[in-house]
Amino acid sequence: MIDTKTDVHLDEMSRTQLADYLMETVRPEEGIIPAFIMGDENVNKLEHEKIFMKTWVFLAHESEVPNKGDFITRDLAGYSVIVSRGQDGVLRAFYNMCTHRGMKLCRADKGNKGQFTCPYHGFTFKNNGDLIGVPLQKDIYGGQLDLDQMSLHGVTLATYKGLIFGTWNEDPEPLSDFLGDFKWYLDIVVGRAEMEVVGPPQKFIVHSQWKIGSDNFVSDSYHTMVTHGSIAKLGMVPNAVYSKKGYQVHVENGHGCNIGMPNPDFAFPEELIPEYKENLSADQFELMSKVKNMIGTVFPNLSFLISHTKIKGKLISNTTLRLWKPIAHDKMEVMTWFLVDKNASEDWKNRSRESYILTFSPSGIFEQDDTEVFTDITQAASGTIPAAKNFNYNYTMGMHREPVDDFIGPGIVYPDKFTEAGSRNYYSYWLDLMNA
Ligand code: FES
Ligand code: FE
């Protein structure tokens, strides 16, 4: 055990001291996670620098910008970026700053534009980033202004099966390598068919540390029977321990998911089975056919969920993506997207959406249950006491278990969803980056 420290002042530590202190106190391999990492401002600052400025961060789904000229503005590690599909059909992203004198170039959330004109002095940029117009250029610059040197600052993008990620890292690991074996599982969520988001993402503020969301989705199926116990009482799921059966998987780079199975009924549109079989391997399709829910996190803060609910007596799935976007050490913006199989019938899409709205989304029963808990954990983790008194969380669940070696998909797999192996893996990678 770690000695009790009564003289810890995290606010006085340098970055190096803080990283050393994290190495000493965060011990995922022993199932020990100190409470202060969920409530400390300097940990949050270090996360920004070491994680959000370095890794791939989710920005959008490709179906949000399907046509030439479509654009959205999003946040990449606290900096506004424009994600735009050029007239050539190529997806690009730019720092949302005019290269003349720094005005925020685009103030809309979304739209369709071939060019952006700066609201300050009227410089105009094509949606491929080129500067193409400067008012009174010849007269006031004497023909000396080199427009080619003043294109918008590009942001590195990469996509996987419709998911658009960006990074500020100038030498990032290829996205495909970063996702690694997790792609096998992501395919079922976002690559099983042509997928599209419905409407703009919903956004809401929660007074919670962002990691609590990622952590909850990467390995915490255990809370379901208590936090979401009312769902069973309402008859929307069979019983309170329905969430235990299945598997928990984790792979390299902190990614992981929980796969609830088996499912008595196929909860996806049956008419799309040929499309699913075309997009998935036979093993992936077999898993998908048996899935009753699938909940996971792509490190650091993109979570996903396929969940099944009974709507009007029929079992139906809904798929959602959610981003836990840090705003402060004790506050995040949650962005959620409802994702649907594009070629499903309108009736199926509507019922799936209804199932999503009832469960996850700001008005959903699950969402409201969870965010209450996230807020209270953050409050208890904040201030000087948790570090000074060495208060730790217990993440030892399932440490006595060995992974199975005959699961259909890749990764380290446990034959039960009630384990904290996925969180231990998540924090190991988190610690590697914080100490890099
Ligand atoms: Fe944009 Fe001057 S700051 S045109
Ligand atoms: Fe929950």
Side-chain angles (χ1 to χ4, degrees):
M1 285 296 292
I2 305 158
D3 293 338
T4 299
K5 292 179 171 54
T6 52
D7 58 346
V8 176
H9 292 289
L10 293 166
D11 54 334
E12 290 169 12
M13 285 185 181
S14 68
R15 283 191 178 86
T16 319
Q17 282 174 319
L18 178 57
D20 288 348
Y21 187 62
L22 291 172
M23 284 301 282
E24 185 189 335
T25 54
V26 182
R27 298 180 174 184
E29 69 292 347
E30 294 170 46
I32 296 172
I33 303 296
F36 74 83
I37 71 164
M38 297 303 190
D40 182 68
E41 277 188 70
N42 288 309
V43 170
N44 191 62
K45 283 182 192 156
L46 201 64
E47 283 172 340
H48 179 259
E49 184 182 318
K50 300 279 194 172
I51 295 176
F52 288 96
M53 295 301 288
K54 300 285 186 209
T55 57
W56 290 101
V57 178
F58 179 71
L59 292 174
H61 189 265
E62 279 202 65
S63 63
E64 294 180 84
V65 280
N67 304 311
K68 290 175 183 172
D70 284 350
F71 74 88
I72 43 178
T73 50
R74 288 285 147 82
D75 182 292
L76 177 56
Y79 297 95
S80 178
V81 298
I82 305 170
V83 179
S84 151
R85 194 175 290 282
Q87 301 316 113
D88 52 3
V90 176
L91 202 59
R92 299 180 181 84
F94 309 100
Y95 186 39
N96 191 2
M97 182 188 82
C98 175
T99 54
H100 175 222
R101 295 256 296 275
M103 173 62 188
K104 189 175 190 177
L105 181 62
C106 178
R107 292 184 291 175
D109 281 347
K110 61 180 289 199
N112 184 288
K113 269 176 179 288
Q115 52 196 46
F116 298 92
T117 298
C118 179
Y120 202 5
H121 311 98
F123 279 33
T124 295
F125 299 84
K126 221 168 130 182
N127 64 3
N128 68 357
D130 292 349
L131 176 59
I132 52 168
V134 173
L136 308 176
Q137 188 196 157
K138 285 210 175 85
D139 181 16
I140 57 181
Y141 288 101
Q144 303 287 306
L145 192 68
D146 186 351
L147 271 55
D148 292 346
Q149 296 297 315
M150 294 186 67
S151 299
L152 294 174
H153 300 292
V155 172
T156 305
L157 282 190
T159 62
Y160 182 73
K161 303 271 167 97
L163 304 179
I164 306 172
F165 292 82
T167 183
W168 291 116
N169 191 333
E170 290 189 349
D171 185 23
E173 180 181 15
L175 177 66
S176 181
D177 295 356
F178 174 67
L179 297 174
D181 283 340
F182 209 45
K183 288 179 291 190
W184 197 94
Y185 298 97
L186 273 179
D187 287 351
I188 296 171
V189 185
V190 296
R192 61 179 183 257
E194 190 177 351
M195 304 294 286
E196 63 180 2
V197 299
V198 178
Q202 291 177 303
K203 301 178 186 178
F204 48 101
I205 301 289
V206 180
H207 291 265
S208 162
Q209 220 280 337
W210 67 273
K211 287 195 294 302
I212 304 172
S214 292
D215 174 20
N216 177 279
F217 274 63
V218 86
S219 86
D220 197 337
S221 298
Y222 186 45
H223 79 285
T224 314
M225 60 182 192
V226 178
T227 310
H228 306 302
S230 55
I231 306 277
K233 286 187 190 141
L234 288 171
M236 291 170 75
V237 294
N239 58 58
V241 290
Y242 77 101
S243 53
K244 185 171 184 289
K245 274 192 192 157
Y247 294 86
Q248 188 180 99
V249 181
H250 66 257
V251 305
E252 65 275 29
N253 297 345
H255 316 305
C257 64
N258 305 270
I259 302 166
M261 57 191 287
N263 189 40
D265 297 307
F266 190 74
F268 299 91
E270 293 196 7
E271 68 273 21
L272 296 191
I273 288 176
E275 188 177 351
Y276 298 143
K277 286 187 169 171
E278 200 174 301
N279 287 304
L280 300 174
S281 69
D283 285 348
Q284 286 171 315
F285 179 72
E286 188 185 331
L287 183 68
M288 178 189 158
S289 306
K290 292 179 183 166
V291 152
K292 66 181 163 95
N293 53 44
M294 200 162 162
I295 306 125
T297 296
V298 177
F299 189 93
N301 65 334
L302 171 66
S303 293
F304 60 79
L305 171 78
I306 299 175
S307 94
H308 292 183
T309 335
K310 267 194 180 154
I311 297 287
K312 293 169 190 143
K314 273 189 176 172
L315 196 68
I316 187 149
S317 68
N318 71 80
T319 303
T320 165
L321 299 174
R322 50 203 38 245
L323 196 67
W324 316 104
K325 206 173 80 180
I327 292 178
H329 67 286
D330 57 356
K331 201 196 279 187
M332 64 176 167
E333 181 181 64
V334 185
M335 292 178 76
T336 71
W337 292 258
F338 169 62
L339 205 57
V340 73
D341 313 58
K342 190 175 178 180
N343 298 317
S345 68
E346 284 309 307
D347 174 59
W348 195 91
K349 287 180 186 179
N350 288 337
R351 283 187 293 121
S352 179
R353 185 148 180 262
E354 194 179 331
S355 139
Y356 162 69
I357 302 270
L358 269 173
T359 51
F360 286 85
S361 82
S363 61
I365 304 172
F366 280 87
E367 198 86 64
Q368 294 182 48
D369 293 341
D370 283 331
T371 47
E372 288 253 349
V373 173
F374 295 178
T375 304
D376 285 353
I377 291 173
T378 305
Q379 265 184 17
S382 301
T384 55
I385 287 291
K389 298 291 184 188
N390 193 28
F391 292 156
N392 291 320
Y393 302 138
N394 186 304
Y395 274 83
T396 59
M397 191 193 304
M399 280 178 79
H400 63 294
R401 285 227 168 108
E402 288 299 319
V404 295
D405 54 14
D406 58 352
F407 188 65
I408 203 165
I412 311 287
V413 183
Y414 290 86
D416 190 319
K417 285 165 72 192
F418 287 6
T419 170
E420 285 158 348
S423 286
R424 293 191 288 273
N425 176 63
Y426 180 93
Y427 289 115
S428 292
Y429 186 61
W430 177 87
L431 192 57
D432 286 350
L433 295 188
M434 292 291 268
N435 201 45

